[in-house]
Amino acid sequence: MTGHLGAAASFFPPPIEVTGQNTGLSLGKDGQVIAPYRRSLRRIFNNANWLHGGRLAGGFWMGMERAERFERIRIDNERIADIDYRQLFPRLAYVRAGQPQPEGDIYNVAGDGSGRDGWKQLINAMLFADGPLRNWPEGTLQHFPSGTKLRDAIEMLVSHHAPIADLFGTELGFQLMRIESDMLIGIITHLASIGVTALPLHDAVLVAESKAYVAAGAMQAAFSMGTGSSCAIVSIEFFPR
């Protein structure tokens, strides 16, 4: 199920450039040409429900590997910065539950930082699941000690995040994705109105390095306006030097 932002929605004025390639020969991981003219976006909804999903898709930068984006994309003749919401879905779940945000890293379930990627995948899978999980989400088990049983990991996760435990297995994640996508559309529209070119990427935007802090402020404001909460964690990543 898709929705379109106009006939050929393009929020992004030039110059947007991709360096170090022969345009037309370089393909992204989505099989599409990596070329700066591919800026038209569409929204993809889920479960035949306009309230589920709504993420933007179709931009050339979405098919590029993360390191490749930093290396090759230029906006306004500058390298890009990646401005990203951290731990967005579980924090939105706490907002939905009307519960105070936990301190520290939501994905540090073990308390010592171990298995963080696994806990991240597991909590998000449980937010999107329709009912109890019966199998490990793909690629998750490898992050846990050998012999870990799914039921034990789930019990530990539910205990650690008891305030939102009732939301697991309710497909809430699709609704949170709609909130995320609405926020991103508002952010890039606002940034465009003040002359800042921004490329949306799920829960992040790519902007010229000099606009990084403007974009971060816009993302903080969008979260507060959209949720009534100021608990957003927004990170800024620059090209490593």
Side-chain angles (χ1 to χ4, degrees):
M1 186 175 186
T2 62
H4 292 271
L5 299 178
S10 181
F11 292 98
F12 320 114
I16 301 171
E17 300 173 313
V18 180
T19 65
Q21 74 162 5
N22 181 355
T23 301
L25 297 179
S26 182
L27 299 180
K29 57 188 177 183
D30 57 359
Q32 300 296 313
V33 174
I34 296 175
Y37 60 78
R38 288 187 50 240
R39 309 178 198 174
S40 296
L41 301 175
R42 65 186 185 279
R43 296 187 77 174
I44 298 179
F45 295 87
N46 303 96
N47 306 323
N49 188 334
W50 294 113
L51 299 179
H52 285 191
R55 276 184 169 177
L56 295 167
F60 74 89
W61 59 95
M62 296 175 177
M64 300 174 74
E65 298 291 346
R66 182 178 182 84
E68 187 181 23
R69 294 186 195 110
F70 280 109
E71 182 67 37
R72 298 176 59 187
I73 296 177
R74 301 290 185 273
I75 298 177
D76 296 330
N77 299 313
E78 298 180 33
R79 289 192 181 274
I80 62 166
D82 184 328
I83 321 302
D84 183 22
Y85 284 120
R86 293 297 180 93
Q87 308 162 35
L88 181 61
F89 283 179
R91 292 199 177 277
L92 286 174
Y94 270 88
V95 172
R96 176 64 63 91
Q99 297 291 333
Q101 295 288 323
E103 295 184 4
D105 185 352
I106 279 181
Y107 300 131
N108 184 20
V109 176
D112 60 2
S114 64
R116 183 186 187 278
D117 288 345
W119 291 115
K120 177 180 178 179
Q121 293 175 34
L122 186 58
I123 190 173
N124 283 296
M126 291 172 66
L127 285 171
F128 278 88
D130 179 12
L133 286 183
R134 302 190 183 281
N135 298 290
W136 286 99
E138 184 177 357
T140 302
L141 180 56
Q142 65 189 26
H143 299 289
F144 290 87
S146 176
T148 301
K149 296 184 181 302
L150 177 60
R151 66 173 179 270
D152 294 335
I154 289 176
E155 287 178 4
M156 186 173 175
L157 182 57
V158 167
S159 175
H160 190 79
H161 288 299
I164 59 170
D166 289 346
L167 300 178
F168 293 142
T170 65
E171 293 190 312
L172 176 67
F174 292 104
Q175 298 176 46
L176 303 182
M177 190 183 289
R178 174 60 194 266
I179 295 171
E180 170 207 77
S181 64
D182 286 349
M183 287 195 306
L184 262 290
I185 289 172
I187 289 162
I188 61 175
T189 301
H190 166 70
L191 291 174
S193 74
I194 59 174
V196 177
T197 300
L199 307 179
L201 187 64
H202 302 322
D203 59 355
V205 295
L206 310 177
V207 297
E209 286 186 328
S210 64
K211 307 300 183 183
Y213 294 98
V214 173
M219 290 178 69
Q220 288 280 5
F223 188 96
S224 296
M225 291 178 62
T227 67
S229 171
S230 59
C231 69
I233 298 177
V234 178
S235 69
I236 301 176
E237 185 175 357
F238 296 101
F239 178 76
R241 290 180 170 83

